[in-house]
């Protein structure tokens, strides 16, 4: 099982920004060739994709994230980031990092980091 450690969540006002980090304990080759992404789960709702790197290195974004959130990575540190700007109260959720070799896998999850956006 892969260990993932998220950080960077917190409380921010509407319109503010946060940067989440996820350190992934895998080899560099696996890190750079896996699906690695951010998901979120709000109370009473299903977990949903926010943004991810595909195993080919391209990026996918949920519609709500386009133009506001940016996923990036540092392959030397095996760390993936999520820069979130123009935050809205509806972005309030627990944000999780996930890594998997193939899209059909469930993969491994971090413990989650809480993001709360106040109105």
């Amino acid at each position: 099982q892969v260990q993932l450690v998220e950080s960077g969540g917190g409380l921010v006002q509407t319109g503010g920004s946060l940067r989440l980090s996820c350190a992934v304990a895998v080899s560099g080759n696996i890190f750079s060739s896996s699906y690695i992404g951010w998901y979120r789960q709000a109370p009473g709702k299903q977990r949903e994709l926010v943004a991810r790197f595909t195993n080919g290195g391209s990026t996918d974004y949920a519609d709500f994230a386009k133009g506001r959130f940016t996923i990036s990575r540092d392959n030397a540190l095996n760390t993936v980031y999520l820069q979130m700007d123009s935050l809205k109260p509806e972005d309030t959720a627990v944000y999780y990092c996930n890594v998997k070799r193939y899209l059909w896998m469930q993969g491994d999850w971090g413990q989650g980091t809480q993001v709360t956006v106040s109105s």
Side-chain angles (χ1 to χ4, degrees), residues 13-113:
Q13 291 184 334
T14 297
S17 298
L18 283 174
R19 188 192 193 207
L20 307 183
S21 300
C22 174
V24 185
V26 290
S27 70
N29 286 342
I30 292 176
F31 179 81
S32 61
S33 62
S34 296
Y35 286 85
I36 297 180
W38 290 94
Y39 293 72
R40 71 183 188 183
Q41 188 166 18
K45 295 188 177 181
Q46 289 190 330
R47 193 171 297 187
E48 60 182 351
L49 173 70
V50 178
R52 70 180 169 205
F53 283 100
T54 69
N55 58 359
S58 60
T59 55
D60 294 328
Y61 287 90
D63 286 343
F64 64 79
K66 293 177 181 177
R68 299 191 299 127
F69 296 179
T70 303
I71 191 170
S72 61
R73 66 200 296 170
D74 186 330
N75 288 340
L77 298 177
N78 281 11
T79 300
V80 63
Y81 305 96
L82 184 68
Q83 176 68 40
M84 303 187 293
D85 299 318
S86 302
L87 284 162
K88 306 174 182 179
E90 50 264 44
D91 294 318
T92 294
V94 179
Y95 284 70
Y96 297 91
C97 187
N98 174 270
V99 62
K100 51 191 172 184
R101 294 301 305 275
Y102 303 103
L103 196 57
W104 54 265
M105 290 179 168
Q106 288 220 359
D108 294 294
W109 296 91
Q111 81 284 357
T113 185

